[in-house]
């Protein structure tokens, strides 16, 4: 069986584009009977905000759904720069 703190895979994380999507995943996971481990809420990881929820999936693998606004902004800036470069 999967053990959260055993060597190997620790958890799967999914980044979403909006703070509200984290809350929606929490509501869905709770409705489906998942074990909520932490959140949803703000965590002190990374600059610019880190709103996340942690829960166990049906196979007991730890899942994380997170919104990181600063990461989203940096990604958008990078994509704009790539787009500008491809037009040159």
């Amino acid at each position: 069986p999967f053990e959260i703190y055993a060597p190997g895979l620790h958890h799967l994380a999914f980044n979403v584009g909006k703070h509200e999507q984290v809350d929606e995943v929490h509501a869905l996971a709770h409705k489906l009977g998942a074990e909520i481990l932490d959140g949803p809420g703000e965590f002190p990881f990374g600059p610019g905000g880190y709103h996340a929820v942690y829960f166990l999936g049906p196979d007991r693998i730890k899942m994380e759904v997170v919104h990181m606004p600063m990461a989203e902004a940096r990604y958008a800036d990078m994509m704009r720069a790539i787009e500008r470069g491809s037009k040159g």
Side-chain angles (χ1 to χ4, degrees), residues 24-87:
E24 291 169 4
V25 169
H26 168 260
L28 178 60
H30 185 270
K31 179 180 176 182
L32 294 174
E35 181 180 343
I36 306 299
L37 300 174
D38 209 348
E42 291 293 324
F43 292 87
F45 312 131
Y50 197 100
H51 186 74
V53 63
Y54 300 87
F55 59 95
L56 296 180
D59 52 7
R60 309 279 303 158
I61 291 179
K62 183 177 179 181
M63 311 288 263
E64 172 188 5
V65 177
V66 61
H67 176 236
M68 299 179 290
M70 185 177 283
E72 289 290 322
R74 287 181 178 172
Y75 176 78
D77 290 345
M78 180 186 69
M79 294 308 292
R80 284 191 291 274
I82 290 170
E83 181 63 28
R84 283 192 305 269
S86 70
K87 292 180 181 179

Side-chain angles (χ1 to χ4, degrees), residues 9-31:
L9 177 69
H10 180 264
H11 74 285
L12 296 176
F14 300 92
N15 189 41
V16 295
K18 296 180 182 176
H19 183 104
E20 296 79 16
Q21 290 171 307
V22 173
D23 299 331
E24 291 169 4
V25 169
H26 168 260
L28 178 60
H30 185 270
K31 179 180 176 182

